Amino acid sequence: MKEYKLVETENAGNLPMVVGTWGKVKKFFNELDWNKPIVLELTPKEEKVLTEVHDFLFQEVKFPELHDFLFQEINIFNWFKKKN
């Protein structure tokens, strides 16, 4: 296996560094204080919408209704019959 060595030149330290989007994202997450809690302040309207969305997503689903919907009888042969 060949071993390659990086040779530093005089100009290598003077090259401009291009910071891309991924570098900015990594820098942002590395500078976060992970022990500090995140606090969101919502307006009453935003809080109402968030509550409604939460209630919709976590509503109680009754098993008989779900069972009836999933296991309803479907006759696909009616689709292939020609209509007169």
Side-chain angles (χ1 to χ4, degrees), residues 17-31:
M17 185 172 179
V18 177
V19 180
T21 306
W22 181 242
K24 292 177 185 177
V25 169
K26 286 195 308 187
K27 181 181 175 188
F28 171 76
F29 282 113
N30 286 334
E31 291 179 354

Side-chain angles (χ1 to χ4, degrees), residues 33-46:
D33 184 10
W34 293 99
N35 296 323
K36 184 178 176 183
I38 298 173
V39 179
L40 294 176
E41 295 181 9
L42 300 174
T43 64
K45 187 174 183 179
E46 292 171 337

Side-chain angles (χ1 to χ4, degrees), residues 32-59:
L32 278 179
D33 184 10
W34 293 99
N35 296 323
K36 184 178 176 183
I38 298 173
V39 179
L40 294 176
E41 295 181 9
L42 300 174
T43 64
K45 187 174 183 179
E46 292 171 337
E47 191 172 348
K48 180 184 173 205
V49 169
L50 185 64
T51 305
E52 290 175 356
V53 169
H54 177 271
D55 292 344
F56 175 75
L57 291 176
F58 294 99
Q59 65 186 336

Side-chain angles (χ1 to χ4, degrees), residues 73-84:
E73 187 176 336
I74 300 174
N75 190 353
I76 62 169
F77 296 110
N78 289 338
W79 292 346
F80 299 113
K81 291 181 180 178
K82 292 183 180 178
K83 292 183 179 179
N84 291 334

